[in-house]
Amino acid sequence: MRQFAYLGVLAGCLVCALWLEPVFRVNVLRRWRRLLLTLVPVVLIFALWDLAAIAAGHWTFDPEQTTGVLLPGELPLDELLFFVVVPICTILGFEAVRAVNRWPAGDEPAGPPVESARGADGAASPARVPPGRGERT
């Protein structure tokens, strides 16, 4: 059972992060092209880095805690999945915080200008910012 320890940790990370997608409507998984454009450089750079470290003898993996499925260069499949799962969890967390705080990312279409409203006493009330794409309305 120890050979699934690495996968278990990755599954736990996903379980802890995937609920953010529907609850906060962050649309990370729905915008799969954008997600792929984010993941490909990360996976590529870190996989090459690991392959170089493995080849140089600086980096090893405990075969008792990985599935034993080795990709070319002796890179465990579990490690490659790490480079996919952790960034997805990070992006989900970031987008959830952004949605809750209504922070723009800078790539949403421009909304109507923000206007300040005046109350009955003539004092300015806080400006209302229209919700951005992917946020609750």
Side-chain angles (χ1 to χ4, degrees):
M1 203 58 161
R2 283 188 66 187
Q3 73 269 17
F4 297 111
Y6 203 156
L7 287 181
V9 170
L10 294 177
C13 290
L14 278 174
V15 166
C16 290
L18 282 177
W19 67 274
L20 298 168
E21 178 80 6
V23 171
F24 293 106
R25 300 179 193 159
V26 295
N27 297 322
V28 169
L29 302 177
R30 285 183 57 205
R31 296 183 291 197
W32 60 270
R33 287 185 193 113
R34 175 187 240 178
L35 182 60
L36 280 177
L37 286 172
T38 303
L39 289 177
V40 167
V42 171
V43 171
L44 188 62
I45 289 168
F46 284 105
L48 290 173
W49 189 338
D50 259 13
L51 288 169
I54 292 167
H58 297 298
W59 197 248
T60 61
F61 296 91
D62 184 356
E64 291 183 13
Q65 295 187 48
T66 59
T67 59
V69 178
L70 297 177
L71 302 171
E74 298 186 27
L75 181 68
L77 174 64
D78 317 56
E79 181 74 349
L80 187 65
L81 291 174
F82 173 85
F83 299 139
V84 173
V85 169
V86 171
I88 289 174
C89 294
T90 304
I91 294 165
L92 283 165
F94 170 78
E95 290 294 335
V97 169
R98 200 172 72 76
V100 167
N101 289 311
R102 298 182 184 257
W103 293 338
D107 63 346
E108 290 93 1
V114 177
E115 299 176 16
S116 76
R118 297 260 174 210
D121 61 354
S125 62
R128 294 187 180 176
V129 178
R133 188 170 146 202
E135 296 177 351
R136 290 199 233 199
T137 55

